[in-house]
């Protein structure tokens, strides 16, 4: 428990530090986290029947992350981000030269890893630039809301939880915890406008509702992934917490949807 608490505190300090140290550090750090999450995904997905092309998958993700990062810090226009597209084609072509019983399984897991484990972090990075210039308050608010949802879900589920949410996937999650987490996240969001500005109060609250609902579903999706692959944790980079996918499971589904919501408001 002590190891888990120390790791959790250090983890939060590092994340907040990456947000506060400016657009370059923020962009590089969370792009690297996405690449690390992809590496974890390939590690747990690899089996006798599934052999994702780790080299090409990682190369594609790195190229995409670099191009997106260069765009956000103002080095290249957005049209150059599409240079990553040929790398997706190479993933298909490379399978022609590999002796695999199920080549499309390999292709599917290679591409799925990029979409599921890496790209959501690029959407999270995009939240920092959604207003046209770098604003760390929006991604910081996202993380605070996500943590508030987790905390509210844990406390309300432990105190009142009786009705299972998805027992087949996660036996410990309850409807009471789910509702409590969303409500607590929205309560915290009500106060963010006062301290962070950036968005109107109703926008913060709507953002919290999206994070609360889809962050929980993201947690369940990651649990489903681990169950289907027969693993307990996605990795061991964070002692007491598992891997990057374990810690950012809520972000993976919620970040692209929050980005879409805020983009529609522009």
């Amino acid at each position: 428990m002590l190891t888990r608490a120390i790791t959790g505190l250090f983890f939060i300090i590092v994340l907040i530090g990456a947000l506060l140290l400016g657009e370059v550090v923020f962009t590089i750090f969370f792009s690297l986290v996405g690449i690390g999450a992809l590496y974890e995904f390939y590690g747990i997905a690899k089996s006798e029947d599934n052999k994702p092309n780790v080299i090409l998958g990682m190369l594609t993700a790195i190229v995409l992350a670099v191009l997106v990062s260069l765009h956000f810090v103002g080095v290249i226009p957005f049209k150059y981000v599409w240079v990553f597209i040929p790398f997706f084609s190479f993933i298909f072509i490379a399978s022609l030269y590999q002796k695999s019983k199920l080549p499309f399984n390999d292709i599917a897991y290679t591409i799925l890893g990029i979409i599921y484990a890496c790209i959501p972090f690029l959407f999270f990075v995009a939240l920092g630039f959604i207003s046209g210039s770098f604003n760390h308050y929006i991604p910081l608010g996202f993380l605070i809301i996500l943590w508030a949802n987790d905390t509210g879900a844990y406390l309300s589920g432990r105190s009142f939880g009786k009705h299972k949410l998805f027992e087949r996937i996660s036996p410990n999650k309850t409807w009471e915890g789910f509702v409590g987490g969303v409500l607590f996240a929205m309560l915290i969001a009500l106060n963010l406008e006062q301290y962070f500005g950036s968005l109107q109060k109703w926008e913060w609250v709507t953002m919290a509702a999206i994070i609360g609902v889809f962050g929980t579903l993201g947690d369940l999706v990651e649990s489903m992934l681990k169950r289907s692959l027969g693993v307990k944790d996605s990795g061991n980079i964070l002692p007491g917490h598992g891997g990057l996918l374990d810690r950012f499971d809520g972000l993976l589904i919620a970040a692209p949807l929050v980005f879409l919501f805020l983009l529609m408001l522009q």
Side-chain angles (χ1 to χ4, degrees):
M1 181 64 77
L2 179 61
T3 299
R4 181 180 175 86
I6 293 173
T7 302
L9 178 61
F10 178 75
F11 180 65
I12 290 173
I13 291 172
V14 170
L15 292 184
I16 294 176
L19 280 161
L20 299 181
L21 288 174
E23 60 181 26
V24 174
V25 173
F26 165 71
T27 304
I28 292 174
F29 177 82
F30 283 99
S31 295
L32 288 174
V33 172
I35 292 168
L38 175 62
Y39 186 75
E40 277 189 359
F41 178 91
Y42 288 150
I44 63 175
K46 184 177 285 189
S47 69
E48 185 176 339
D49 292 328
N50 307 316
K51 296 181 175 63
N53 192 322
V54 178
I55 294 176
L56 264 181
M58 293 295 293
L59 180 60
T60 302
I62 291 169
V63 169
L64 178 58
V66 169
L67 292 172
V68 169
S69 299
L70 290 175
H71 166 67
F72 282 134
V73 298
V75 176
I76 61 173
F78 184 73
K79 66 180 180 179
Y80 290 109
V81 173
W82 299 108
V83 170
F84 82 91
I85 288 178
F87 288 87
F88 269 104
S89 301
F90 298 154
I91 292 170
F92 285 88
I93 295 169
S95 292
L96 293 171
Y97 298 92
Q98 296 170 336
K99 296 179 180 180
S100 173
K101 293 189 302 180
L102 302 168
F104 273 88
N105 273 25
D106 304 341
I107 293 169
Y109 272 102
T110 303
I111 294 177
L112 175 62
I114 298 169
I115 295 172
Y116 173 71
C118 180
I119 289 179
F121 286 96
L122 301 183
F123 277 107
F124 180 74
V125 169
L127 290 177
F129 300 87
I130 192 73
S131 58
S133 58
F134 180 61
N135 179 356
H136 68 268
Y137 284 118
I138 294 178
L140 178 57
F142 181 103
L143 291 179
I144 291 173
I145 292 169
L146 187 64
W147 295 332
N149 178 67
D150 290 343
T151 302
Y154 173 77
L155 294 176
S156 56
R158 186 169 183 176
S159 301
F160 310 108
K162 292 182 180 179
H163 303 88
K164 300 298 183 182
L165 180 61
F166 265 99
E167 188 170 10
R168 175 175 59 89
I169 302 298
S170 184
N172 295 325
K173 292 193 182 304
T174 63
W175 278 101
E176 291 82 2
F178 171 66
V179 173
V182 174
L183 291 178
F184 188 59
M186 294 173 73
L187 178 64
I188 294 298
L190 277 171
N191 298 286
L192 292 182
E193 189 270 339
Q194 178 181 352
Y195 297 104
F196 288 3
S198 306
L199 301 173
Q200 297 180 44
K201 187 169 292 187
W202 74 269
E203 294 170 339
W204 280 114
V205 173
T206 304
M207 180 173 158
I210 295 171
I211 294 171
V213 172
F214 291 98
T216 302
L217 292 173
D219 188 334
L220 289 166
V221 167
E222 201 253 352
S223 295
M224 180 174 64
L225 172 68
K226 290 188 294 185
R227 280 180 174 272
S228 67
L229 296 175
V231 297
K232 183 178 183 295
D233 294 320
S234 66
N236 54 14
I237 193 172
L238 300 169
H241 289 264
L244 295 172
L245 290 174
D246 296 319
R247 289 304 91 208
F248 288 103
D249 48 13
L251 179 149
L252 299 177
I253 301 295
L257 296 175
V258 169
F259 174 79
L260 179 62
F261 164 66
L262 295 179
L263 184 64
M264 293 298 101
L265 299 177
Q266 300 304 306

